[in-house]
Short mmCIF file of all heavy atoms in Angstrom, two decimals:
data_model
loop_
_atom_site.label_atom_id
_atom_site.label_comp_id
_atom_site.label_asym_id
_atom_site.label_seq_id
_atom_site.Cartn_x
_atom_site.Cartn_y
_atom_site.Cartn_z
N GLY R 1 15.66 -14.46 18.04
CA GLY R 1 16.61 -15.25 17.28
C GLY R 1 15.98 -16.19 16.27
O GLY R 1 16.66 -17.10 15.77
N HIS R 2 14.74 -15.97 15.93
CA HIS R 2 14.06 -16.81 14.95
C HIS R 2 13.90 -16.06 13.63
O HIS R 2 13.95 -14.83 13.58
CB HIS R 2 12.69 -17.26 15.47
CG HIS R 2 12.75 -18.46 16.35
ND1 HIS R 2 12.93 -19.73 15.86
CD2 HIS R 2 12.67 -18.58 17.70
CE1 HIS R 2 12.95 -20.60 16.86
NE2 HIS R 2 12.80 -19.93 17.99
N ASP R 3 13.68 -16.82 12.56
CA ASP R 3 13.52 -16.24 11.23
C ASP R 3 12.16 -15.57 11.06
O ASP R 3 11.94 -14.86 10.07
CB ASP R 3 13.67 -17.32 10.15
CG ASP R 3 15.08 -17.88 10.10
OD1 ASP R 3 15.72 -18.01 11.15
OD2 ASP R 3 15.53 -18.23 8.99
N GLY R 4 11.25 -15.82 11.98
CA GLY R 4 9.92 -15.25 11.92
C GLY R 4 9.52 -14.64 13.25
O GLY R 4 10.21 -14.77 14.26
N ILE R 5 8.35 -14.01 13.25
CA ILE R 5 7.81 -13.39 14.46
C ILE R 5 7.28 -14.48 15.38
O ILE R 5 6.58 -15.39 14.95
CB ILE R 5 6.69 -12.40 14.08
CG1 ILE R 5 7.28 -11.24 13.25
CG2 ILE R 5 5.98 -11.87 15.32
CD1 ILE R 5 6.23 -10.34 12.62
N VAL R 6 7.63 -14.37 16.65
CA VAL R 6 7.24 -15.38 17.64
C VAL R 6 6.13 -14.82 18.53
O VAL R 6 6.25 -13.73 19.08
CB VAL R 6 8.44 -15.79 18.52
CG1 VAL R 6 8.04 -16.86 19.52
CG2 VAL R 6 9.61 -16.26 17.66
N LYS R 7 5.05 -15.60 18.65
CA LYS R 7 3.97 -15.26 19.57
C LYS R 7 3.52 -16.52 20.29
O LYS R 7 3.20 -17.52 19.66
CB LYS R 7 2.78 -14.64 18.81
CG LYS R 7 3.07 -13.25 18.25
CD LYS R 7 1.83 -12.64 17.62
CE LYS R 7 2.13 -11.23 17.10
NZ LYS R 7 0.93 -10.61 16.47
N ASP R 8 3.53 -16.44 21.63
CA ASP R 8 3.14 -17.58 22.46
C ASP R 8 3.91 -18.84 22.08
O ASP R 8 3.37 -19.94 22.04
CB ASP R 8 1.63 -17.84 22.34
CG ASP R 8 0.80 -16.66 22.82
OD1 ASP R 8 1.21 -16.00 23.80
OD2 ASP R 8 -0.25 -16.39 22.20
N GLY R 9 5.19 -18.66 21.77
CA GLY R 9 6.06 -19.78 21.48
C GLY R 9 5.93 -20.34 20.07
O GLY R 9 6.60 -21.33 19.73
N LYS R 10 5.11 -19.72 19.22
CA LYS R 10 4.93 -20.20 17.85
C LYS R 10 5.42 -19.17 16.84
O LYS R 10 5.33 -17.96 17.08
CB LYS R 10 3.45 -20.50 17.59
CG LYS R 10 2.90 -21.66 18.41
CD LYS R 10 1.44 -21.94 18.04
CE LYS R 10 0.88 -23.13 18.83
NZ LYS R 10 -0.53 -23.41 18.48
N ILE R 11 5.93 -19.65 15.71
CA ILE R 11 6.36 -18.77 14.64
C ILE R 11 5.14 -18.44 13.79
O ILE R 11 4.50 -19.33 13.23
CB ILE R 11 7.43 -19.44 13.76
CG1 ILE R 11 8.52 -20.09 14.63
CG2 ILE R 11 8.02 -18.44 12.79
CD1 ILE R 11 9.25 -19.13 15.55
N ILE R 12 4.82 -17.16 13.70
CA ILE R 12 3.61 -16.72 13.00
C ILE R 12 3.94 -16.48 11.53
O ILE R 12 4.66 -15.54 11.19
CB ILE R 12 3.05 -15.44 13.64
CG1 ILE R 12 2.86 -15.64 15.15
CG2 ILE R 12 1.73 -15.05 12.98
CD1 ILE R 12 1.95 -16.78 15.52
N ASN R 13 3.40 -17.32 10.68
CA ASN R 13 3.78 -17.32 9.27
C ASN R 13 3.37 -16.05 8.53
O ASN R 13 4.22 -15.33 7.97
CB ASN R 13 3.15 -18.53 8.58
CG ASN R 13 3.70 -18.76 7.18
OD1 ASN R 13 4.66 -19.50 7.00
ND2 ASN R 13 3.11 -18.13 6.18
N ASP R 14 2.08 -15.75 8.48
CA ASP R 14 1.60 -14.71 7.56
C ASP R 14 2.06 -13.31 7.95
O ASP R 14 2.39 -12.49 7.09
CB ASP R 14 0.07 -14.76 7.47
CG ASP R 14 -0.42 -16.06 6.84
OD1 ASP R 14 0.40 -16.97 6.64
OD2 ASP R 14 -1.63 -16.16 6.56
N GLU R 15 2.09 -13.04 9.25
CA GLU R 15 2.58 -11.75 9.71
C GLU R 15 4.07 -11.60 9.39
O GLU R 15 4.53 -10.51 9.02
CB GLU R 15 2.35 -11.61 11.22
CG GLU R 15 2.62 -10.22 11.76
CD GLU R 15 2.26 -10.08 13.23
OE1 GLU R 15 1.43 -10.87 13.73
OE2 GLU R 15 2.80 -9.15 13.87
N THR R 16 4.81 -12.69 9.50
CA THR R 16 6.23 -12.67 9.15
C THR R 16 6.41 -12.37 7.67
O THR R 16 7.27 -11.56 7.29
CB THR R 16 6.88 -14.03 9.48
OG1 THR R 16 6.84 -14.25 10.89
CG2 THR R 16 8.32 -14.07 9.00
N VAL R 17 5.61 -13.01 6.82
CA VAL R 17 5.74 -12.83 5.38
C VAL R 17 5.56 -11.36 4.99
O VAL R 17 6.27 -10.84 4.12
CB VAL R 17 4.73 -13.73 4.63
CG1 VAL R 17 4.63 -13.34 3.16
CG2 VAL R 17 5.15 -15.19 4.75
N SER R 18 4.64 -10.68 5.64
CA SER R 18 4.44 -9.26 5.37
C SER R 18 5.70 -8.46 5.67
O SER R 18 6.09 -7.57 4.90
CB SER R 18 3.27 -8.73 6.20
OG SER R 18 3.07 -7.36 5.98
N ARG R 19 6.36 -8.78 6.78
CA ARG R 19 7.62 -8.09 7.14
C ARG R 19 8.71 -8.41 6.13
O ARG R 19 9.50 -7.54 5.74
CB ARG R 19 8.07 -8.53 8.54
CG ARG R 19 7.17 -8.10 9.67
CD ARG R 19 7.37 -6.64 10.07
NE ARG R 19 8.74 -6.39 10.50
CZ ARG R 19 9.53 -5.44 10.02
NH1 ARG R 19 9.12 -4.65 9.04
NH2 ARG R 19 10.75 -5.28 10.49
N LEU R 20 8.78 -9.66 5.69
CA LEU R 20 9.81 -10.06 4.74
C LEU R 20 9.66 -9.35 3.40
O LEU R 20 10.65 -8.94 2.79
CB LEU R 20 9.77 -11.58 4.52
CG LEU R 20 10.00 -12.45 5.76
CD1 LEU R 20 9.82 -13.92 5.41
CD2 LEU R 20 11.38 -12.20 6.37
N ALA R 21 8.43 -9.19 2.95
CA ALA R 21 8.19 -8.48 1.69
C ALA R 21 8.64 -7.02 1.79
O ALA R 21 9.24 -6.46 0.85
CB ALA R 21 6.71 -8.55 1.32
N GLU R 22 8.39 -6.41 2.95
CA GLU R 22 8.84 -5.04 3.17
C GLU R 22 10.36 -4.96 3.15
O GLU R 22 10.95 -4.05 2.55
CB GLU R 22 8.29 -4.53 4.52
CG GLU R 22 8.58 -3.07 4.80
CD GLU R 22 8.05 -2.61 6.15
OE1 GLU R 22 7.41 -3.41 6.87
OE2 GLU R 22 8.29 -1.44 6.49
N MET R 23 11.02 -5.92 3.80
CA MET R 23 12.48 -5.98 3.79
C MET R 23 13.02 -6.10 2.37
O MET R 23 13.97 -5.41 1.99
CB MET R 23 12.97 -7.18 4.61
CG MET R 23 12.84 -7.07 6.10
SD MET R 23 13.33 -8.61 6.94
CE MET R 23 15.07 -8.70 6.53
N ALA R 24 12.41 -6.98 1.60
CA ALA R 24 12.89 -7.25 0.24
C ALA R 24 12.83 -6.00 -0.63
O ALA R 24 13.77 -5.70 -1.39
CB ALA R 24 12.08 -8.37 -0.39
N VAL R 25 11.75 -5.25 -0.53
CA VAL R 25 11.61 -4.03 -1.33
C VAL R 25 12.67 -3.01 -0.94
O VAL R 25 13.30 -2.38 -1.81
CB VAL R 25 10.19 -3.44 -1.17
CG1 VAL R 25 10.12 -2.04 -1.78
CG2 VAL R 25 9.16 -4.35 -1.81
N MET R 26 12.93 -2.87 0.35
CA MET R 26 13.93 -1.90 0.79
C MET R 26 15.34 -2.32 0.35
O MET R 26 16.17 -1.47 0.00
CB MET R 26 13.86 -1.72 2.30
CG MET R 26 12.54 -1.12 2.76
SD MET R 26 12.54 -0.55 4.49
CE MET R 26 13.56 0.93 4.36
N GLN R 27 15.60 -3.61 0.33
CA GLN R 27 16.90 -4.09 -0.14
C GLN R 27 17.06 -3.86 -1.64
O GLN R 27 18.14 -3.48 -2.11
CB GLN R 27 17.06 -5.57 0.21
CG GLN R 27 17.20 -5.82 1.70
CD GLN R 27 17.20 -7.29 2.06
OE1 GLN R 27 17.14 -8.16 1.19
NE2 GLN R 27 17.25 -7.59 3.35
N ALA R 28 15.97 -4.04 -2.38
CA ALA R 28 16.00 -3.75 -3.82
C ALA R 28 16.23 -2.26 -4.05
O ALA R 28 17.01 -1.87 -4.94
CB ALA R 28 14.70 -4.21 -4.47
N GLN R 29 15.58 -1.42 -3.26
CA GLN R 29 15.76 0.03 -3.37
C GLN R 29 17.22 0.41 -3.11
O GLN R 29 17.76 1.33 -3.74
CB GLN R 29 14.87 0.75 -2.37
CG GLN R 29 13.39 0.73 -2.73
CD GLN R 29 12.52 1.30 -1.63
OE1 GLN R 29 12.94 1.41 -0.48
NE2 GLN R 29 11.28 1.66 -1.98
N ALA R 30 17.87 -0.29 -2.20
CA ALA R 30 19.26 0.00 -1.86
C ALA R 30 20.22 -0.43 -2.96
O ALA R 30 21.37 0.03 -2.99
CB ALA R 30 19.64 -0.69 -0.55
N GLY R 31 19.76 -1.31 -3.86
CA GLY R 31 20.60 -1.70 -4.99
C GLY R 31 20.88 -3.18 -5.11
O GLY R 31 21.69 -3.59 -5.96
N ALA R 32 20.24 -4.01 -4.29
CA ALA R 32 20.49 -5.45 -4.35
C ALA R 32 20.15 -6.01 -5.72
O ALA R 32 19.13 -5.67 -6.32
CB ALA R 32 19.67 -6.16 -3.28
N ASP R 33 21.01 -6.88 -6.21
CA ASP R 33 20.77 -7.55 -7.49
C ASP R 33 19.92 -8.80 -7.31
O ASP R 33 19.11 -9.14 -8.18
CB ASP R 33 22.12 -7.94 -8.11
CG ASP R 33 23.00 -6.74 -8.37
OD1 ASP R 33 22.72 -6.01 -9.33
OD2 ASP R 33 23.96 -6.54 -7.61
N ILE R 34 20.15 -9.51 -6.20
CA ILE R 34 19.45 -10.76 -5.92
C ILE R 34 18.93 -10.71 -4.49
O ILE R 34 19.68 -10.41 -3.55
CB ILE R 34 20.38 -11.99 -6.07
CG1 ILE R 34 20.99 -12.04 -7.48
CG2 ILE R 34 19.63 -13.28 -5.77
CD1 ILE R 34 22.07 -13.11 -7.62
N ILE R 35 17.65 -11.02 -4.32
CA ILE R 35 17.05 -11.12 -3.00
C ILE R 35 17.07 -12.59 -2.57
O ILE R 35 16.68 -13.46 -3.33
CB ILE R 35 15.58 -10.61 -3.03
CG1 ILE R 35 15.53 -9.14 -3.50
CG2 ILE R 35 14.92 -10.78 -1.67
CD1 ILE R 35 16.21 -8.17 -2.59
N GLY R 36 17.52 -12.84 -1.34
CA GLY R 36 17.65 -14.22 -0.87
C GLY R 36 16.80 -14.52 0.35
O GLY R 36 17.30 -14.45 1.48
N PRO R 37 15.52 -14.88 0.17
CA PRO R 37 14.67 -15.24 1.32
C PRO R 37 15.15 -16.57 1.93
O PRO R 37 15.05 -17.62 1.31
CB PRO R 37 13.27 -15.38 0.70
CG PRO R 37 13.36 -14.72 -0.64
CD PRO R 37 14.76 -14.92 -1.09
N SER R 38 15.63 -16.50 3.17
CA SER R 38 16.23 -17.67 3.82
C SER R 38 15.39 -18.21 4.97
O SER R 38 15.84 -19.05 5.74
CB SER R 38 17.63 -17.32 4.34
OG SER R 38 17.56 -16.30 5.32
#
């Protein structure tokens, strides 16, 4: 239920960012006009 990947109770920043970039590209491929990193 967190916005990032959780390991040992901590939100792991850099590994999460890699996943978010992958998500963004796939959303753009689907036709998104605006990407909203939240």
Side-chain angles (χ1 to χ4, degrees):
H2 277 283
D3 294 36
I5 295 170
V6 182
K7 290 185 178 180
D8 299 323
K10 294 183 179 180
I11 313 301
I12 308 302
N13 191 92
D14 295 9
E15 189 175 338
T16 296
V17 167
S18 179
R19 293 281 300 127
L20 299 176
E22 186 181 357
M23 287 175 65
V25 169
M26 295 193 73
Q27 291 173 3
Q29 288 173 342
D33 300 285
I34 303 172
I35 300 297
S38 62

